[in-house]
């Protein structure tokens, strides 16, 4: 069987020409706010298939609309090779000479040298979400986000104080250093308090399979009859953990805490089935990033020092307000 | 006895027994062999198995479908957005999700048979297109990429009923398996599947409507993937664009473990079911051992590789044995 290519070589050239024409006319039509600078505002941030980053983007969108600026959101669509994809995306963004660059430094080994390169070239960079320990050294203007280690550490402290003696940290995306740092923090805090810990991962590619996560947690609970606390790193595994705890017949005996929110997690907190969720307030990360970018490029103003957006601990005391906001403004709290 | 050895699933059954025994012995205290432990790995296998059977049949006909991953997520989001944001009752949305799955299958099938481009490439492209479209449309309508599902009691029963800890998905898996086995071994359509994958030119010469066979099978994989998307969505009360991504390679893997030839023309539904069961046992059982989970991928890889090799070896041995 032979294959007819739809585009002959001269057709390809014509296609390339028309694409560059389209790009040129797009440049000609930039808004006044951008025209003062050479390039666009570029944002390299997390995958939008995660509710968390959907909320970050909502923050970018709302602030951009408020200040009347345009920006472009760049992220991976396929989360399988993020560690190598993100440096590539960042490199492409830098080569477009943005007027200001807003970056989530998820994978420091590959991304930090590139950020240094950008700041050396004089591109103003603001880091959001991840990279709290690095932003000063790589020449960035500021950092808006949370320290994943501190978030995990806080979770460990809360569980240890509530009497957990053996805690399980369940990581559904093994190999992701940011997420892993939460487990490290959790394990450190538990160890400091004299409690035992178990660290558990699952196969890559199962990060969205709640049945697989549930069965994995069940197995680990069966193999460790003395586990009395679970910390999960996202809202979906939290629900898997909740059902696993119920199925092994240890509901009420195992305390569950999680990072990030969903409606279901919030309802479970309300019902007393999940003890707490740690909100790093993703919307704020996006909103404050655009705000800082605009204030810097217009007036040269920027915050001194890291701006910490999390964790805000959500438990039975403040869950009602969160649920109410979530119903009224879909996507803003990062729960859906 | 020799006839039994000659069946394509014999190697898979042997591999299943070996892996099951392995975990039964290494997880003695943890209850992996209990009724609840068994329900656990069956629940996991069932959801994969509902997709793996049509994918296996498609592979027997000589084609691949990698778009199943994003079809699962898309179907769950269709139901979630429709019920949660547009206020539509769940049943029309389930119907729409299944129709969407069928349409994705029709498009895959038509592109493959009309262009002759390898289905591996065509459906890989469709996988990205569907994922991107799901995320884009979800954001446009509801500003989210995952969302709660508003269900009703009948839907809850059909898709997430439980007896003890065994999910209704196990029954759906069995139903799909029985249908698949019947079609493959008892109908002329089943013969056409083997003929299409075995020797396309000869099959066409013999009057087999090979294009119709392929398109029909693509439609089946699309519907099965959408069905699992609905099932997972109702079960977990939420839709997510990335549901199902793990199945993209798990489904063909379990078909191969179950004796389906990658090149097409050979395989059985019982084999695919056993292959899926092996996968369920390995990927669940490993957690009951209490070993460090950093090694999980290594174990999974070694055990899967071992299962396929054992399976191949036994099949070759059985086929080469002198006739008695």
């Amino acid at each position: 069987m032979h294959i007819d290519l739809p585009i002959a070589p001269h057709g390809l050239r014509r296609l390339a020409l028309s694409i560059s024409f389209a790009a040129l006319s797009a440049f000609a039509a930039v808004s006044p706010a951008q025209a003062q600078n050479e390039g666009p505002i570029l944002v390299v941030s997390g995958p939008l298939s995660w509710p968390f980053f959907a909320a970050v983007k909502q923050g970018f969108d709302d602030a951009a609309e408020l200040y009347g600026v345009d920006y472009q959101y760049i992220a991976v669509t396929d989360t399988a090779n993020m560690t190598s994809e993100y440096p590539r995306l960042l490199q492409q963004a830098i080569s477009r000479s943005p007027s200001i660059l807003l970056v989530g430094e998820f994978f420091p080994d590959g991304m930090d040298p590139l950020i240094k390169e950008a700041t050396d070239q004089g591109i103003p960079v603001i880091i959001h979400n991840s990279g709290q320990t690095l932003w000063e050294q790589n020449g960035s203007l500021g950092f808006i986000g949370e320290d994943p280690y501190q978030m995990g550490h806080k979770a460990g402290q809360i569980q240890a104080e509530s009497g957990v003696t053996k805690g399980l940290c369940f990581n559904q995306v093994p190999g992701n250093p940011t997420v892993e740092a939460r487990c490290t923090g959790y394990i450190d805090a538990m160890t400091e308090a004299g409690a035992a810990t178990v660290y558990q991962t699952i196969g890559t590619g199962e990060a969205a399979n709640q049945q697989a996560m549930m069965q994995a947690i069940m197995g680990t609970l069966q193999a460790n009859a003395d586990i009395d606390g679970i910390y999960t790193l996202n809202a979906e595994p939290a629900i898997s953990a909740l059902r696993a705890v119920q199925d092994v017949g240890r509901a009420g005996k195992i305390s569950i805490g999680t990072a990030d929110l969903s409606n279901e997690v919030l309802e479970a907190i309300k019902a007393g089935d999940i003890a707490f969720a740690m909100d790093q307030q993703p919307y704020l990360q996006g909103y404050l990033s655009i705000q800082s970018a605009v204030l810097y490029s217009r007036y040269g103003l920027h915050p001194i020092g890291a701006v910490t957006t999390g964790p805000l601990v959500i438990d039975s005391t403040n869950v009602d307000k969160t649920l109410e906001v979530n119903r009224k403004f879909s996507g803003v709290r990062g729960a859906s | 006895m020799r006839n039994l050895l000659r069946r394509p699933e014999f190697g898979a059954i042997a591999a299943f027994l070996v892996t099951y025994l392995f975990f039964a012995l290494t997880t003695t205290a943890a209850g992996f062999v209990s009724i609840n432990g068994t329900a656990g790995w069956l629940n996991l296998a069932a959801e994969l198995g509902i997709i793996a059977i049509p994918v296996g049949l498609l592979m027997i006909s000589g084609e691949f479908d990698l778009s199943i991953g994003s079809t699962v997520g898309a179907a769950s989001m269709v139901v979630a957005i429709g019920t949660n944001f547009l206020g539509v009752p769940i049943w029309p949305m389930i119907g729409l999700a299944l129709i969407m799955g069928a349409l994705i299958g029709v498009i895959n099938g038509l592109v493959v048979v009309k262009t002759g481009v390898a289905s591996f490439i065509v459906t890989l492209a469709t996988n990205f297109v569907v994922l991107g479209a799901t995320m884009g449309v979800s954001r446009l309508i509801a500003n989210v990429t995952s969302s709660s599902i508003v269900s009703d009691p009948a839907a809850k029963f059909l898709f997430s009923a439980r007896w003890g800890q065994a999910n209704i998905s196990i029954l759906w898996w069995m139903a799909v398996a029985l249908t698949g086995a019947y079609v493959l071994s008892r109908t002329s359509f089943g013969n056409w599947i083997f003929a299409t994958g075995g020797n396309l030119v000869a099959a066409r010469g013999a009057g087999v409507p090979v294009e119709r066979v392929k398109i029909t099978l693509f439609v089946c994989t699309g519907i099965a993937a959408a069905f699992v998307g609905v099932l997972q969505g109702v079960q977990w009360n939420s839709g997510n664009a990335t549901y199902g991504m793990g199945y993209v390679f798990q489904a063909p893997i379990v078909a191969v473990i179950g004796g389906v030839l990658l090149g097409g023309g050979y395989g059985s539904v019982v084999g695919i079911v056993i292959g899926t069961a092996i996968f369920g046992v390995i990927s669940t059982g490993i957690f009951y051992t209490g070993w460090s989970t950093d090694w999980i991928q290594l174990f999974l890889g070694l055990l899967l590789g071992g299962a396929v090799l054992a399976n191949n070896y036994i099949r070759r041995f059985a086929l080469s044995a002198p006739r008695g």
Side-chain angles (χ1 to χ4, degrees):
Chain A
M1 194 153 298
H2 87 281
I3 303 158
D4 264 332
L5 275 177
I7 303 168
H10 68 273
L12 264 181
R13 205 170 305 134
R14 197 183 305 149
L15 187 70
L17 268 177
S18 55
I19 287 173
S20 41
F21 255 101
L24 277 177
S25 40
F27 265 109
V30 283
S31 66
Q34 266 181 264
Q36 298 160 4
N37 313 301
E38 311 107 64
I41 299 177
L42 293 184
V43 173
V44 177
S45 194
L48 290 175
S49 55
W50 297 4
F52 178 90
F53 284 105
V56 176
K57 181 162 190 293
Q58 187 63 46
F60 282 121
D61 285 348
D62 287 359
E65 198 187 327
L66 188 72
Y67 287 103
V69 295
D70 286 329
Y71 81 99
Q72 193 187 341
Y73 194 95
I74 302 162
V76 296
T77 49
D78 178 6
T79 55
N81 301 313
M82 285 199 291
T83 318
S84 56
E85 280 295 315
Y86 265 103
R88 208 188 336 270
L89 287 179
L90 179 57
Q91 191 146 40
Q92 286 160 0
I94 293 168
S95 65
R96 289 171 59 187
S97 327
S99 63
I100 190 155
L101 184 60
L102 310 178
V103 188
E105 195 174 352
F106 313 119
F107 306 103
D109 290 344
M111 297 175 83
D112 205 51
L114 293 172
I115 292 172
K116 277 199 194 91
E117 228 171 78
T119 54
D120 285 348
Q121 286 172 30
I123 299 172
V125 176
I126 298 173
I127 311 283
H128 67 272
N129 183 258
S130 306
Q132 181 160 31
T133 54
L134 298 158
W135 67 276
E136 276 183 299
Q137 298 148 41
N138 60 32
S140 301
L141 285 174
F143 171 83
I144 296 157
E146 58 104 46
D147 182 340
Y149 177 88
Q150 289 304 333
M151 179 187 259
H153 197 266
K154 177 97 182 163
Q157 282 177 332
I158 294 173
Q159 286 205 345
E161 271 167 32
S162 77
V164 171
T165 57
K166 187 169 185 181
L168 165 71
C169 192
F170 178 74
N171 180 1
Q172 83 282 9
V173 271
N176 180 321
T178 307
V179 175
E180 226 151 65
R182 289 187 186 161
C183 269
T184 311
Y186 174 81
I187 289 167
D188 284 356
M190 291 287 280
T191 312
E192 284 159 22
T197 53
V198 177
Y199 173 65
Q200 183 189 10
T201 59
I202 52 169
T204 48
E206 303 281 34
N209 187 342
Q210 289 185 266
Q211 184 70 249
M213 294 191 273
M214 177 185 160
Q215 297 305 335
I217 295 170
M218 263 180 82
T220 301
L221 293 181
Q222 295 287 54
N224 299 271
D226 49 351
I227 286 177
D228 55 358
I230 303 179
Y231 176 55
T232 57
L233 307 182
N234 201 337
E236 283 169 358
I239 297 301
S240 293
L242 176 58
R243 295 208 190 165
V245 166
Q246 288 165 346
D247 271 6
V248 297
R250 279 146 76 183
K253 296 193 184 88
I254 298 180
S255 166
I256 303 171
T258 186
D260 299 349
L261 315 176
S262 74
N263 268 330
E264 230 183 336
V265 164
L266 293 172
E267 294 291 353
I269 292 174
K270 200 172 171 176
D273 295 329
I274 291 181
F276 63 87
M278 311 195 96
D279 183 9
Q280 52 167 311
Q281 309 193 84
Y283 180 88
L284 272 187
Q285 296 178 3
Y287 190 93
L288 296 178
S289 291
I290 288 284
Q291 191 176 43
S292 300
V294 170
L295 294 181
Y296 177 77
S297 53
R298 283 186 192 163
Y299 315 123
L301 299 170
H302 64 91
I304 308 300
V307 177
T308 309
T309 62
L312 174 73
V313 179
I314 300 194
D315 54 21
S316 55
T317 61
N318 56 356
V319 67
D320 287 322
K321 168 75 180 171
T322 316
L323 269 167
E324 187 194 316
V325 172
N326 205 31
R327 266 191 290 270
K328 234 187 265 174
F329 307 97
S330 169
V332 167
R333 289 309 297 253
S336 53
Chain B
M1 185 62 191
R2 185 128 294 146
N3 279 342
L4 179 73
L5 281 172
R6 283 179 190 287
R7 298 200 44 90
E9 58 273 4
F10 180 77
I13 292 174
F16 174 79
L17 290 176
V18 171
T19 44
Y20 189 80
L21 215 62
F22 173 79
F23 284 109
L25 293 176
T26 48
T27 64
T28 38
F32 180 66
V33 291
S34 70
I35 293 177
N36 284 341
T38 307
W41 65 260
L42 280 174
N43 288 343
L44 185 70
E47 290 168 24
L48 171 60
I50 292 168
I51 298 181
I53 289 163
V55 165
L57 296 186
L58 185 70
M59 285 167 70
I60 295 174
S61 86
E63 301 292 349
F64 264 99
D65 189 351
L66 305 181
S67 71
I68 45 172
S70 55
T71 306
V72 173
S76 74
M77 280 310 280
V78 164
V79 177
I81 301 257
T83 58
N84 194 20
F85 286 93
L86 307 178
V88 182
I90 191 164
W91 288 101
M93 295 321 295
I94 290 174
L96 193 66
L98 295 177
I99 291 170
M100 179 207 64
L103 272 179
I104 294 170
V106 169
I107 292 167
N108 281 333
L110 281 176
V111 172
V112 167
V113 302
K114 297 291 176 211
T115 65
V117 176
S119 54
F120 193 91
I121 300 301
V122 170
T123 57
L124 188 64
T126 326
N127 195 40
F128 287 130
V129 169
V130 172
L131 176 62
T134 307
M135 282 169 41
V137 171
S138 306
R139 269 203 155 270
L140 276 181
I141 297 178
N143 199 22
V144 291
T145 51
S146 84
S147 161
S148 308
I149 283 177
V150 182
S151 198
D152 77 4
K156 273 206 182 303
F157 177 80
L158 271 181
F159 298 108
S160 65
R162 297 183 98 193
W163 293 276
Q165 291 180 14
N167 289 350
I168 196 170
S169 56
I170 300 170
L171 293 183
W172 284 111
W173 180 30
M174 291 304 130
V176 174
L178 288 175
T179 314
Y182 176 78
V183 169
L184 192 64
S185 59
R186 294 285 144 92
T187 66
S188 50
F189 189 79
N191 287 332
W192 292 350
I193 295 175
F194 282 115
T196 304
N199 187 333
L200 189 78
V201 179
R204 193 176 274 135
V208 174
V210 291
E211 305 197 331
R212 207 176 90 208
V213 169
K214 288 184 176 183
I215 294 174
T216 308
L217 289 172
F218 274 115
V219 169
C220 290
T221 57
I223 293 175
F227 182 85
V228 170
V230 172
L231 192 143
Q232 290 187 331
V234 171
Q235 188 185 168
W236 297 96
N237 298 320
S238 69
N240 187 317
T242 58
Y243 272 167
M245 277 304 159
Y247 296 146
V248 172
F249 291 106
Q250 284 167 10
I253 286 170
V254 299
V256 170
I257 295 174
V260 173
L261 281 187
L262 268 176
Y266 186 84
S268 75
V269 170
V270 179
I272 300 166
V273 169
I274 307 285
T276 313
I278 293 175
F279 191 87
V281 164
I282 294 176
S283 50
T284 310
I286 223 151
F287 296 102
Y288 284 76
T289 59
W291 298 337
S292 162
T293 51
D294 285 339
W295 300 96
I296 274 174
Q297 302 276 69
L298 177 72
F299 281 120
L300 201 63
L302 289 178
L303 285 168
L304 289 178
V308 175
L309 284 177
N311 186 348
N312 272 5
Y313 177 76
I314 291 169
R315 187 176 61 222
R316 210 174 309 144
F317 176 75
L319 290 176
S320 67
R323 287 180 181 279

